[in-house]
Amino acid sequence: MFPHFLTLQQVSRRQISSTVRRQLVNKVPDKQKLFQEANGMPVHLKGGVSDAVLYRATMGLTVLGTAYVIYELVKAALPQKKG
């Protein structure tokens, strides 16, 4: 009926069955030990440099976004006179 459909179905089956499955290493126990350590460090910084950079970037964007919203609210509340 639809020869193209059967061909596509056969090709997709062939590709799926021929994929190589990789064994993934379970890193959860190592991460649990890292984050449950009582070393006085906040949990959002225990991941290392990448966590610190992400935290600072998020906080910076939050502060800038809040300042911009306040600026736009003040600008909308106090419109400039025309003329």
Side-chain angles (χ1 to χ4, degrees), residues 11 14-15 29 32 64 71 74:
V11 168
R14 198 174 308 133
Q15 288 176 351
Q32 283 176 335
L64 289 174
Y71 167 75
V74 168

Side-chain angles (χ1 to χ4, degrees), residues 9-22:
Q9 190 177 24
Q10 290 169 350
V11 168
S12 66
R13 268 195 219 142
R14 198 174 308 133
Q15 288 176 351
I16 289 172
S17 64
S18 66
T19 58
V20 177
R21 295 187 185 263
R22 289 188 274 166

Side-chain angles (χ1 to χ4, degrees), residues 31 34-35 39 41-53:
K31 294 290 184 182
L34 174 72
F35 285 101
N39 58 4
M41 187 180 288
V43 72
H44 60 273
L45 298 177
K46 284 189 177 185
V49 175
S50 62
D51 276 356
V53 169

Side-chain angles (χ1 to χ4, degrees), residues 4-6 10-11 13 19 23 29 35 39 42 47 53 58-59 61 63 65 68 79:
H4 297 292
F5 177 72
L6 293 176
Q10 290 169 350
V11 168
R13 268 195 219 142
T19 58
Q23 290 289 340
F35 285 101
N39 58 4
V53 169
T58 302
M59 291 307 293
L61 287 171
V63 169
Y68 181 70

